């Protein structure tokens, strides 16, 4: 994975990185000087199962352990630049999307209403902005995300995204410190220092605090940071992001790279109103996969997300709409509404479901609850036709009713939601 790939990854809403289950053992063995086996891949899927018990492994460097205050004689750079750490969040505070702001960050009113001001405030919080800093206009990627480029004495591109009408920072990428995936295919992320300079590296924890993981020192151009760092998910020390800041050259040009790691699925229970247990960071891709599953691989046209606010969204397709809800940055499907089929009303009794559908054409509806399936036929070729149904089904919650409607003209539509 090249630096350009990482830029694309951030711009595509920073896809999740799934951790390895044996990461902590390998790190402990490495620090003890023992040989380790070949590292396992950290895949970056769009979708994953909702409950996985793992260790949070971030594929970035841990060099030999020593005091974080150790000063290394570096020639040109003999003093580490001042670092800025955040205060600790209460354990009950929710994780923010992306890397900034956390709930405890002091942000002036109106800043998060504008993508450029959001990016400026983030850079100012991380490294400070001087009169030599240049800031580009907002460069839109889609209706809700884009980037702001910083130059002069700060070299970084800040990726911003709008959620519920407010902007936040998804991450940042600099040509001075680039992120890559190991060439050997192990799936570990590595950082490469592209210019000689003084490097600081921090992990940002789920508590909101940050702490160094490589002692600040001078690096030569081309040096790679490629080992591992692990935190146990059963504690509050869960990695939220990893940040690199390189100060390079006699003029002190700063390069800022910061990548967010999404909360593990183990910490994100499936919402009660979800009709599918899969989740995704990209709403359109999630809906595409959902329709592929529900329609047996039928090729359909899926459109872009419409943000409805309040963590809700809707993606339309050629025969209806799919409604979504966002939890901890992940989208879940909570309802499907068809152009030609809608679930009008339902009733539940023990082991029994009844109700009616509203259909727009003649055809056959394939109904499903759990593993129980049955068909309902409609011979009235008119919009607004109400067709009753009833059937014995398991009624242990959640009860999810699915209706796939095949019209006599070959049109297929879908309705699905949690009932009861």
């Amino acid at each position: 994975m090249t630096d350009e790939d990482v830029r694309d990854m951030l711009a595509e809403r920073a896809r999740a990185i799934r951790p390895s289950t044996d990461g902590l053992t390998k790190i402990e063995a490495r620090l003890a000087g023992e040989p380790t086996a070949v590292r396992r891949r950290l895949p970056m899927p769009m979708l994953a199962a909702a409950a996985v018990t793992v260790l949070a492994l971030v594929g970035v460097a841990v060099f030999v352990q020593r005091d974080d205050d150790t000063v290394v004689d570096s020639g040109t750079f003999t003093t580490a630049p001042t670092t800025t750490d955040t205060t600790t969040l209460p354990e009950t505070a929710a994780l923010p999307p992306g890397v900034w702001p956390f709930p405890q960050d002091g942000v002036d009113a109106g800043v998060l209403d504008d993508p450029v001001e959001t990016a400026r405030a983030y850079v100012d919080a991380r490294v400070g902005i001087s009169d030599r800093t240049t800031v580009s206009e907002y460069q839109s990627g889609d209706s809700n995300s884009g980037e702001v480029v910083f130059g002069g004495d700060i070299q970084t591109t800040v990726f911003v995204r709008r959620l519920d009408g407010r902007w936040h920072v998804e991450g940042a990428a600099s040509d001075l410190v680039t992120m890559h995936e190991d060439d050997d295919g192990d799936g570990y992320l590595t950082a490469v220092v592209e210019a000689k300079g003084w490097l600081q590296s921090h992990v940002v924890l789920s508590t909101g605090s940050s702490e160094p993981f490589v002692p600040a020192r001078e690096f030569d151009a081309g040096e790679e940071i490629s080992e591992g760092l692990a935190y146990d998910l059963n504690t509050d020390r869960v990695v939220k992001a990893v940040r690199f800041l390189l100060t390079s050259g006699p003029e002190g040009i700063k390069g800022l790279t910061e990548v967010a790691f999404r909360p593990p699925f183990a910490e994100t229970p499936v919402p009660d109103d979800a009709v599918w247990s899969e989740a995704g960071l990209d709403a359109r891709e999630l809906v595409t996969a959902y329709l592929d599953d529900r329609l047996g691989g039928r090729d359909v046209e899926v459109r872009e997300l419409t943000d409805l606010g309040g963590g809700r969204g809707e993606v339309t397709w050629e025969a209806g709409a799919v409604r979504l809800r966002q939890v901890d940055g992940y989208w879940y499907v909570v309802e499907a509404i068809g152009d030609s089929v809608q679930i009008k009303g339902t009733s539940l009794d023990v082991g029994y479901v009844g109700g009616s559908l509203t259909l727009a054409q003649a055809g056959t509806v394939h109904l499903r609850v759990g593993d129980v399936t049955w068909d309902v036929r409609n011979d009235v070729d008119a919009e607004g036709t109400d067709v009753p149904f009833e059937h014995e089904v398991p009624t242990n919650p959640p009860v999810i009713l699915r209706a796939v409607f095949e019209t006599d003209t070959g049109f297929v539509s879908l309705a699905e939601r949690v009932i009861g």
Side-chain angles (χ1 to χ4, degrees):
M1 179 182 288
T2 65
D3 184 47
E4 184 177 357
D5 293 331
V6 173
R7 289 172 183 268
D8 291 340
M9 176 186 71
L10 288 169
E12 297 267 345
R13 305 174 183 88
R15 294 180 183 279
I17 293 180
R18 288 294 299 279
S20 164
T21 57
D22 57 355
L24 185 58
T25 301
K26 292 176 179 179
I27 301 312
E28 291 172 343
R30 186 181 300 277
L31 294 178
E34 301 172 6
T36 57
V38 175
R39 292 170 294 185
R40 296 176 61 187
R41 169 168 294 274
L42 300 181
M44 294 190 288
M46 187 276 293
L47 302 172
V52 181
T53 303
V54 289
L55 291 177
L57 175 64
V58 179
V60 293
V62 169
F63 278 56
V64 293
Q65 287 185 309
R66 54 180 168 177
D67 187 355
D68 289 335
D69 296 328
T70 301
V71 176
V72 179
D73 185 3
S74 58
T76 303
F77 305 99
T78 56
T79 304
T82 302
T83 61
T84 302
D85 288 351
T86 59
T87 56
T88 300
L89 275 174
E91 292 185 6
T92 55
L95 294 178
V99 301
W100 189 87
F102 273 80
Q104 86 278 14
D105 288 324
V107 181
D108 292 339
V111 166
L112 302 183
D113 295 335
D114 181 81
V116 174
E117 291 305 309
T118 298
R120 285 179 61 93
Y122 160 73
V123 171
D124 193 35
R126 290 293 188 257
V127 300
I129 292 179
S130 75
D131 55 7
R132 293 191 296 142
T133 306
T134 62
V135 185
S136 76
E137 295 181 350
Y138 171 64
Q139 301 172 19
S140 176
D142 58 37
S143 59
N144 287 301
S145 63
E147 61 187 47
V148 180
V149 180
F150 289 74
D153 60 343
I154 299 172
Q155 299 291 329
T156 191
T157 298
V158 177
F159 301 94
V160 292
R161 188 177 181 219
R162 181 168 51 194
L163 180 65
D164 296 340
R166 290 162 59 90
W167 292 90
H168 64 270
V169 175
E170 287 282 335
S174 172
D175 291 337
L176 297 179
V177 185
T178 60
M179 299 287 284
H180 306 263
E181 187 175 3
D182 276 356
D183 292 337
D184 58 11
D186 290 341
Y188 272 52
L189 288 181
T190 66
V192 175
V193 179
E194 304 289 358
K196 182 178 180 179
W198 188 279
L199 182 71
Q200 301 170 75
S201 56
H202 286 77
V203 290
V204 180
L205 306 178
S206 60
T207 57
S209 62
S210 64
E211 51 186 54
F213 64 90
V214 175
R217 68 174 178 88
E218 188 182 23
F219 282 72
D220 287 327
E223 281 198 63
E224 184 178 276
I225 304 173
S226 58
E227 297 190 9
L229 175 71
Y231 284 90
D232 192 333
L233 288 179
N234 294 322
T235 73
D236 61 355
R237 297 168 59 81
V238 177
V239 170
K240 171 62 178 170
V242 60
R243 180 168 73 241
F244 294 92
L245 175 61
L246 180 73
T247 304
S248 177
E251 296 184 355
I253 305 299
K254 296 180 176 66
L256 174 64
T257 293
E258 186 166 6
V259 178
F261 294 90
R262 297 291 181 176
F265 280 88
E267 295 185 344
T268 309
V270 179
D272 292 339
D273 56 349
V275 298
W276 203 35
S277 62
E278 302 296 328
L281 296 174
D282 186 292
R284 185 175 181 274
E285 290 184 6
L286 174 66
V287 171
T288 300
Y290 165 73
L291 293 174
D292 182 72
D293 179 83
R294 292 305 193 246
L295 302 179
R298 185 185 183 93
D299 187 21
V300 298
E301 179 185 351
V302 180
R303 304 179 181 93
E304 295 296 329
L305 170 72
T306 298
D307 191 344
L308 302 179
R312 300 277 177 170
E314 182 176 275
V315 174
T316 60
W317 61 292
E318 60 196 54
V322 177
R323 291 184 175 170
L324 309 170
R325 185 153 75 91
Q326 194 173 46
V327 180
D328 286 340
Y330 292 106
W331 289 104
Y332 289 86
V333 177
V334 295
E335 186 177 9
I337 302 171
D339 288 344
S340 298
V341 56
Q342 296 93 42
I343 299 171
K344 182 178 181 180
T346 59
S347 62
L348 280 177
D349 201 347
V350 177
Y352 172 88
V353 65
S356 65
L357 306 169
T358 300
L359 307 179
Q361 293 177 262
T364 301
V365 184
H366 307 289
L367 290 160
R368 184 183 189 109
V369 173
D371 293 329
V372 178
T373 62
W374 71 101
D375 291 346
V376 171
R377 175 67 192 174
N378 171 44
D379 292 318
V380 180
D381 194 17
E383 292 188 8
T385 302
D386 289 337
V387 177
F389 66 87
E390 59 180 18
H391 207 275
E392 293 183 359
V393 297
T395 49
N396 297 323
V399 179
I400 300 172
L401 176 65
R402 184 190 317 166
V404 178
F405 183 36
E406 292 187 73
T407 72
D408 290 347
T409 58
F411 189 75
V412 177
S413 193
L414 169 70
E416 185 172 20
R417 64 181 173 89
V418 176
I419 63 175

